[in-house]
Amino acid sequence: MSLVYEDHGREVFACRDVDLEVGANQFVGVLGPSGSGKSSLLYLLSGLKDPSLGRVLYGGNDYSQMTEGERGELRLRKFGFVFQQPFLLGYLSVIENVVLAGANSRGRALDLLDRVGLREKAHRMPSALSGGEKQRACVARALYTEPEVIFADEPTASLDHTTGENVIDLLRTLRKGALVVVTHDPSMLEDANRVLRMEEGVVTEVV
Ligand SMILES: Nc1ncnc2c1ncn2[C@@H]1O[C@H](COP(=O)(O)OP(=O)(O)O)[C@@H](O)[C@H]1O
Ligand SMILES: [Mg+2]
């Protein structure tokens, strides 16, 4: 599939002729410079954007055959997301932010917060957490629904190296399904099953 943007009448291929299948439990890393199309690839894989050419299937079903509601439901129930900036609702406590993802179980949320080292801070407001702690709360939220796929878009980019590695390790070890991580930093992908490289929208397999 391809994703083409129009920029002042010029075509920009954010993704170009990508032919990719992510296996059920794979940890797939995506490396590439800024602007190479990494976020666009995640948007296509998660059904957030429609390809300009070609198709994207999830579990054999074409996203273009699903309604917006069905896609939204899929993202909410089956996918987990972690972004570069930790998105937490500032007016809810950490545990409330985790439970927000569905499957109303505070016990489960607390268990996950324990695993990411935030049990003691579960009832704090996000503003009382460090950047690394906020990101770990987002990791707990992404894991909470036991998603079939976690999409992480530069989840370590705003963290120091060790804190970043810790976030990747938590995603890798606590996940129940596939993990797709976009990053600038190859050392975050040492345990990945596959490493892809993006360059001007083109994906090549490194490992
Ligand atoms: N909404 C948009 N409109 C036009 N061009 C876009 C848009 N979003 C991204 N692009 C362009 O698509 C290319 C890939 O962007 P992106 O997927 O965000 O790359 P990355 O995540 O690797 O930094 C870039 O050239 C970017 O400028
Ligand atoms: Mg990006």
Side-chain angles (χ1 to χ4, degrees):
M1 80 285 199
S2 295
L3 178 62
V4 187
Y5 290 116
E6 213 173 279
D7 182 28
H8 299 91
R10 197 173 62 93
E11 281 188 337
V12 176
F13 277 77
C15 291
R16 188 189 283 269
D17 300 330
V18 176
D19 184 1
L20 176 65
E21 185 173 346
V22 176
N25 282 299
Q26 277 186 335
F27 171 9
V28 180
V30 184
L31 290 169
S34 180
S36 59
K38 305 180 299 300
S39 294
S40 299
L41 181 66
L42 288 196
Y43 298 151
L44 288 174
L45 294 178
S46 58
L48 275 163
K49 289 216 164 153
D50 295 316
S52 319
L53 294 161
R55 327 183 282 162
V56 184
L57 312 183
Y58 184 75
N61 300 312
D62 192 330
Y63 282 133
S64 70
Q65 304 298 309
M66 300 178 200
T67 64
E68 252 328 297
E70 286 168 340
R71 293 201 220 186
E73 198 61 18
L74 191 60
R75 285 192 290 268
L76 187 63
R77 311 279 169 219
K78 309 274 189 189
F79 299 164
F81 292 86
V82 184
F83 299 96
Q84 177 170 346
Q85 293 304 326
F87 289 121
L88 295 166
L89 294 177
Y91 57 88
L92 295 178
S93 70
V94 170
I95 188 170
E96 285 159 346
N97 268 280
V98 174
V99 176
L100 206 59
N104 199 357
S105 166
R106 295 177 79 81
R108 221 187 108 56
L110 210 52
D111 179 51
L112 273 169
L113 288 168
D114 188 38
R115 284 160 182 258
V116 303
L118 287 176
R119 176 178 268 274
E120 307 303 318
K121 299 181 179 174
H123 298 286
R124 283 205 191 173
M125 299 307 277
S127 58
L129 299 184
S130 71
E133 288 169 343
K134 281 185 199 155
Q135 196 62 307
R136 280 188 274 136
C138 290
V139 166
R141 182 178 55 197
L143 291 162
Y144 176 68
T145 55
E146 301 192 342
E148 292 175 4
V149 191
I150 294 177
F151 296 100
D153 194 350
E154 310 211 29
T156 66
S158 59
L159 306 174
D160 66 65
H161 188 79
T162 312
T163 312
E165 272 185 336
N166 174 245
V167 161
I168 299 289
D169 273 350
L170 290 168
L171 284 170
R172 181 175 62 80
T173 56
L174 298 176
R175 74 198 160 105
K176 305 275 188 210
L179 173 61
V180 185
V181 175
V182 162
T183 173
H184 280 106
D185 182 353
S187 70
M188 297 293 169
L189 303 178
E190 272 158 15
D191 298 303
N193 301 113
R194 296 163 71 187
V195 177
L196 310 174
R197 197 171 166 80
M198 282 199 88
E199 200 84 55
E200 294 185 12
V202 177
V203 175
T204 47
E205 189 126 7
V206 183
V207 186

